[in-house]
Amino acid sequence: MSGNLFIVWAPSGAGKSSLIAALLEKDSSVRQSVSFTTRAPREGEIEGKHYHFVSRDVFQKMIIAGDFLEHAEVYGNFYGTSKKWIDHAMHNGFDVVMAIDWQGAQQVHKIFPEIIGIFILPPSLEVLRQRLTARGQDSAEVIERRLASAHEDMSHLGEFDYVIINNEFVDAASDLLAIFRSQRLKRKAQFKRNNDIISKLIKR
């Protein structure tokens, strides 16, 4: 049995984390990959739930050992996805969602050509600025840097399969759930998950 691999990305502040949390609450067949990172934990973040927090030295050793499916440097910190964990979850039939950027998506696509990419957009840059400010996590300088990076992020929109505009959160969460469920109902996916049932029904 094999699950699907999804990548969800958005400019910082567009609501990616909240939408993924809502998805996980609604769909028990989905597991989120927990990335390794060299950045310091933010207030409220829990080791092993939000990230695996490691030193730069440990991260470099993991790169050399080939532990990462993908890794990238973002805002001066490193992030990476465990190859072993992804393989184990998908082998056990779970759909896996990865919250990684377009650089990571390009790396993963080389290994998993069938990945499903979902890009979350804010309704406008002004709304994005308001959300970043309201979070109260970053200085004005960092917010401006994130907004500038948003332009670079959005230029890679064409590399993703689906686009969700997070204007009304409830609607965006419903759209994200619908994408996961629809992918699970495709013929190829159904044969993977329910081959015994389908084979018996179509056998002559």
Side-chain angles (χ1 to χ4, degrees):
M1 183 176 271
S2 179
N4 294 307
L5 183 59
F6 294 82
I7 289 176
V8 176
W9 185 243
S12 182
K16 173 183 79 266
S17 298
S18 297
L19 287 171
I20 292 176
L23 170 71
L24 296 173
E25 185 177 336
K26 289 285 187 180
D27 196 329
S28 61
S29 295
V30 182
R31 295 288 185 272
Q32 182 177 8
S33 169
V34 179
S35 297
F36 286 79
T37 183
T38 59
R39 77 161 171 77
R42 291 173 179 159
E43 185 177 351
E45 289 184 331
I46 300 171
E47 163 64 32
K49 179 180 179 180
H50 298 99
Y51 288 97
H52 297 294
F53 298 99
V54 298
S55 67
R56 284 177 173 262
D57 183 58
V58 168
F59 197 96
Q60 290 296 330
K61 289 178 180 177
M62 293 179 72
I63 293 176
I64 294 170
D67 292 340
F68 293 129
L69 177 63
E70 60 80 32
H71 64 277
E73 184 178 4
V74 182
Y75 301 126
N77 296 299
F78 289 95
Y79 296 81
T81 302
S82 168
K83 184 187 303 181
K84 183 178 180 180
W85 187 92
I86 294 286
D87 289 341
H88 182 267
M90 292 179 65
H91 179 74
N92 283 282
F94 292 104
D95 287 339
V96 174
V97 57
M98 302 169 61
I100 59 175
D101 68 2
W102 57 268
Q103 299 174 68
Q106 290 177 345
Q107 292 180 48
V108 176
H109 189 268
K110 295 176 182 177
I111 303 170
F112 290 96
E114 296 181 354
I115 60 170
I116 300 120
I118 305 167
F119 204 105
I120 310 294
L121 287 175
S124 70
L125 286 176
E126 183 55 39
V127 169
L128 185 62
R129 182 191 299 275
Q130 292 171 2
R131 291 175 180 175
L132 287 169
T133 302
R135 289 196 315 190
Q137 296 177 346
D138 302 310
S139 65
E141 181 182 351
V142 171
I143 287 174
E144 291 306 314
R145 191 172 68 187
R146 291 188 184 279
L147 287 170
S149 295
H151 286 284
E152 171 66 12
D153 286 341
M154 290 186 286
S155 71
H156 293 271
L157 186 67
E159 299 170 22
F160 290 73
D161 302 292
Y162 295 92
V163 178
I164 296 174
I165 298 177
N166 185 14
N167 187 16
E168 296 294 334
F169 181 82
V170 173
D171 293 338
S174 179
D175 288 342
L176 184 61
L177 178 62
I179 292 171
F180 274 71
R181 290 183 173 175
S182 65
Q183 288 294 141
R184 207 172 293 149
L185 296 175
K186 284 191 172 182
R187 184 183 66 252
K188 189 173 181 179
Q190 284 285 46
F191 267 103
K192 284 183 179 180
R193 292 175 180 269
N194 299 293
N195 185 60
D196 291 343
I197 295 174
I198 296 174
S199 296
K200 289 177 181 177
L201 288 171
I202 66 176
K203 184 176 180 181
R204 294 187 178 182

